[in-house]
Structure formats: C-alpha cells, structure tokens
Amino acid sequence: MTAERPFECVVLDDAEALAEHAARWLFGEVEARGGRLAVCLTGGSTPERLYARLTRPPYSRSFPWPCVHWFFSDERCVAPDDERNNARMTRRALFDHVDVAAENIHAIPTQGPSPAADAAAYEAELKGYYGAARLDPDRPLFDVAVHGLGKDGHTASIFPGSPALDESERWVVPVAQARQEPYVPRITLTLPVLGSSRTAAFLVSGADKREPLARLIAGAALPAARVGSAGRLSFIVDAAAMPETAS
Ligand code: 6PG
C-alpha cells in the first residue's frame, strides 16, 4: 500500500463475517473472469475460515472448481503431513471437501534436497503455468491473490529486514530464518510475484493485528505495504483488528 493508492478497507463484525465476505468476494472475482484461473492463497490461521466457508453452499456447488488452479504464497519447510504445513491446512479445510483436481493444486514442495532447491522447483512450476520466464505487468500471473498480515507486518514469509524484500529477479526464494512462529525455514514468493495479480485482498482478523494494521494505515514501510496488485487491492478486516483511530 502506498500513499498514492487508497486504503480500500471493509470492516466486518467478526471473523465469521469476514470469512463470509471474503468468500463472496473471491467467488465474485472468479465468476467474473471465467476460463482458466490462478488463485494464490496465503497460509497461516486467518484464511482457514474462508477456506472452510467455500466448502458449504452456495460456493460448494457454484464455484468453478475445475477452472481454478491453486497456488501458495509461501510454505513452511516441514513435511506435507506436518500440521504447520500451509498446503495441509488448506487441503483439510478446503480441497478435501470439494471437486478440485489434484493437478490443479500447486503446493510448494518441501521435501527436496534443500529449501533453495524447493524454491527453484516452485519457480519453475510458476513459470511453466505462466508460459514465460519474465512477468508482464499487463498479464498478471494470478487472477486473484489472498494475502495475510503478520503481527510484525510481514506477509507471505517476507519478514521485516529480510533480504527477500529486495529480490527483484527470482520469483521464489528460501527464507533461512522465520521471524515469527513457526520458527522453521520457509519458502516464499517474492514481492514482484505476490503483486502480479489482477486483484488482491488482505484478510486481517483479531486484536493482535490492530497494531500492524495501524502501522500500515499510517504508511509504515512494512513488508505487507510493499505488496502491489495490477488492479484493486482491498483489506477485508474484522472489527477486532481495526485500530480505533481508523474506525
Ligand atoms: C504463513 C503465512 C503468513 C501469515 C501471517 C498471518 O505461512 O504463516 O503465509 O504470512 O499470513 O503470518 O498469519 P495468521 O493468519 O496465522 O495470523
């Protein structure tokens, strides 16, 4: 978010209302586009309610599941069946309950010889899907991106002060040291890729996000503030996370 881009925010009563609104937003964006679609999902705990909401009517029936390819903004370098694994969370909350083809789920690998090798493998997968090795600003990689906001203002696994903040060439990089739990090595998409989306939204829930959200609104140079979008970038927030000063 930058000064020239308005802070577009919708505030919902609570986490459940946030999930309901986010599901309606995501469905609307996907339904409007049609054809083959790419959605980039965030990990963490906040989006779990959204993912679960998509497994219930009307979305369970009306969502164009066969058309959508699902990607991830980051992953913890743990086994796929580890409870800290973002793709595992998403499978249990969403993919295991709806008609998504296995080949449409593009999980970030974590079992390669090194995080760097896993990051390179995912970069190759993204480029293979995109069909080019360089991002064209007029042809975003993702149709929709769902982002999270960490208590320290990070997003994906791009933490404050991280070398990943300055990465402009690689699409995916390893992160040796996470600055927030879980403290395991990570793999993250870089800012140019996180911003290569036709539309995007941050989901921000809970009182522990009031402080980073207030800093974001005040224009602090947080990693989350560096995420762009080719189109609208919204903040879907619950009341608990909304700073008093901004309400
Ligand atoms: C992760 C996420 C991370 C997350 C924020 C917020 O792998 O943890 O990608 O960026 O979105 O840390 O996490 P919560 O939703 O759990 O607060």
Side-chain angles (χ1 to χ4, degrees):
M1 180 182 64
T2 57
E4 56 271 15
R5 185 173 58 219
F7 180 78
E8 300 186 4
C9 181
V10 56
V11 184
L12 289 308
D13 287 345
D14 54 34
E16 207 50 51
L18 186 159
E20 185 64 47
H21 182 90
R24 195 161 51 247
W25 164 77
L26 179 56
F27 176 70
E29 291 297 342
V30 164
E31 193 188 38
R33 286 205 53 77
R36 187 183 77 158
L37 295 151
V39 175
C40 183
L41 297 176
T42 183
S45 58
T46 300
E48 203 164 347
R49 287 177 190 267
L50 161 62
Y51 302 162
R53 180 61 190 88
L54 293 172
T55 68
R56 299 192 299 272
Y59 310 113
S60 48
R61 288 191 300 270
S62 56
F63 205 93
W65 301 110
C67 303
V68 181
H69 285 254
W70 302 91
F71 297 87
F72 293 86
S73 63
D74 67 320
E75 190 54 274
R76 293 82 176 270
C77 294
V78 295
D81 62 354
D82 185 303
E83 64 179 11
R84 297 166 296 178
N85 186 283
N86 285 328
R88 175 185 180 274
M89 177 276 285
T90 312
R91 286 183 194 281
R92 290 165 62 95
L94 174 55
F95 298 146
D96 289 350
H97 308 281
V98 293
D99 182 24
V100 177
E103 59 269 21
N104 285 25
I105 301 169
H106 304 266
I108 298 176
T110 61
Q111 301 297 285
S114 69
D118 286 331
Y122 202 59
E123 178 162 328
E125 181 161 0
L126 289 172
K127 290 178 175 177
Y129 176 87
Y130 186 62
R134 295 196 69 80
L135 290 169
D136 175 353
D138 296 328
R139 186 171 72 89
L141 165 59
F142 301 122
D143 294 281
V144 187
V146 181
H147 301 299
L149 175 66
K151 287 178 277 193
D152 60 354
H154 81 262
T155 192
S157 284
I158 303 178
F159 298 93
S162 161
L165 282 164
D166 301 318
E167 180 59 54
S168 58
E169 290 304 317
R170 288 180 291 171
W171 291 23
V172 188
V173 296
V175 177
Q177 184 57 46
R179 312 278 174 80
Q180 289 249 301
E181 67 280 358
Y183 295 102
V184 295
R186 310 283 190 93
I187 293 169
T188 188
L189 272 55
T190 55
L191 289 168
V193 180
L194 290 171
S196 182
S197 185
R198 295 183 190 283
T199 189
F202 277 84
L203 308 186
V204 188
S205 172
D208 65 350
K209 302 298 173 66
R210 189 168 290 180
E211 191 261 348
L213 190 54
R215 293 175 64 200
L216 210 55
I217 293 170
L222 300 174
R226 300 273 302 278
V227 174
S229 168
R232 180 184 294 268
L233 175 63
S234 309
F235 283 74
I236 303 174
V237 179
D238 66 13
M242 202 61 196
E244 280 97 7
T245 51
S247 50

